[in-house]
Amino acid sequence: MGEGKHHADYTSYSVNSGKEEILQSVFDSYEALSYDTRNWVANLANCSSLLWHAYHSMKVNVNWSGFYVLSKPKTDELILGPFQGKVACQTIKFGKGVCGNAASSAKTQLVANVNEYPGHIACDGETQSEIVVPIVNNGQVVGVLDIDCLTLEGFDEVDVKYLEQLAALISKTCDW
Ligand code: SME
């Protein structure tokens, strides 16, 4: 960490920055913070905070940002990981809901309107849109990154691009 810089300073985003700049900054901050540890709890906890503050600085009404991880020794179930926001469901089977579909298909799910998504799991009835990005390590899904939004169409292809880059970095910076 740079001289005189506090950990919390990583979550100070300029309100004048553009979306791509802020999402790149999340990537860069995560990279800097994860330099110290390969522990996935610590890294995903700080990443949840980076994402929460980044989206709020962009005035995107994010109500949940965080992770579900593989519920070892099971190979077909996710369990709640570090997050920011309200209490959420603890376990999700592969193939169930947006997170479970991202896990079973290993493909990003960009959901403009969760009310139209068959099988969406409503941890919070106020959520309107969602993005879930799988974290793949050695060909296996080890978790998913999940962000929920209180407005419709909260996320787009720019989010997909940057969050997939972030998920790839998360995969290689943690011990699973
Ligand atoms: N909506 C998700 C469940 C997780 S919460 O959004 C935090 C889903 O359908 O998988």
Side-chain angles (χ1 to χ4, degrees):
M1 201 166 22
E3 196 138 315
K5 183 158 178 154
H6 300 107
H7 276 86
D9 295 338
Y10 280 104
T11 43
S12 301
Y13 297 97
S14 164
V15 286
N16 298 319
S17 300
K19 177 168 176 166
E20 300 214 31
E21 204 181 330
I22 289 180
L23 292 177
Q24 181 62 46
S25 160
V26 170
F27 182 96
D28 295 342
S29 296
Y30 174 85
E31 193 170 39
L33 289 163
S34 63
Y35 189 76
D36 279 345
T37 176
R38 293 187 56 81
N39 181 287
W40 65 266
V41 176
N43 285 337
L44 299 189
N46 270 341
C47 195
S48 304
S49 174
L50 289 171
L51 290 166
W52 177 272
H53 289 281
Y55 279 97
H56 281 268
S57 78
M58 293 188 274
K59 307 275 182 254
V60 180
N61 280 327
V62 161
N63 57 328
W64 204 88
S65 64
F67 297 87
Y68 282 85
V69 295
L70 191 61
S71 181
K72 289 181 183 176
K74 293 177 187 160
T75 54
D76 64 346
E77 189 175 286
L78 297 166
I79 191 158
L80 184 62
F83 69 95
Q84 299 270 311
K86 292 182 183 172
V87 167
C89 35
Q90 274 124 309
T91 58
I92 299 175
K93 284 272 184 210
F94 274 45
K96 298 284 179 200
V98 188
C99 291
N101 283 335
S104 58
S105 66
K107 290 205 166 65
T108 296
Q109 309 288 307
L110 178 61
V111 185
N113 182 353
V114 296
N115 306 297
E116 293 174 355
Y117 189 96
H120 170 255
I121 301 165
C123 291
D124 182 343
E126 294 189 357
T127 298
Q128 297 297 321
S129 57
E130 178 164 11
I131 185 168
V132 181
V133 181
I135 300 167
V136 182
N137 187 261
N138 287 329
Q140 189 190 23
V141 172
V142 292
V144 299
L145 185 172
D146 180 15
I147 311 179
D148 293 349
C149 183
L150 292 170
T151 50
L152 294 168
E153 297 176 11
F155 310 102
D156 60 21
E157 289 300 329
V158 174
D159 300 282
V160 172
K161 175 184 160 194
Y162 281 90
L163 295 178
E164 285 185 348
Q165 284 174 4
L166 181 62
L169 180 63
I170 289 169
S171 167
K172 65 181 186 191
T173 50
C174 298
D175 289 331
W176 302 101

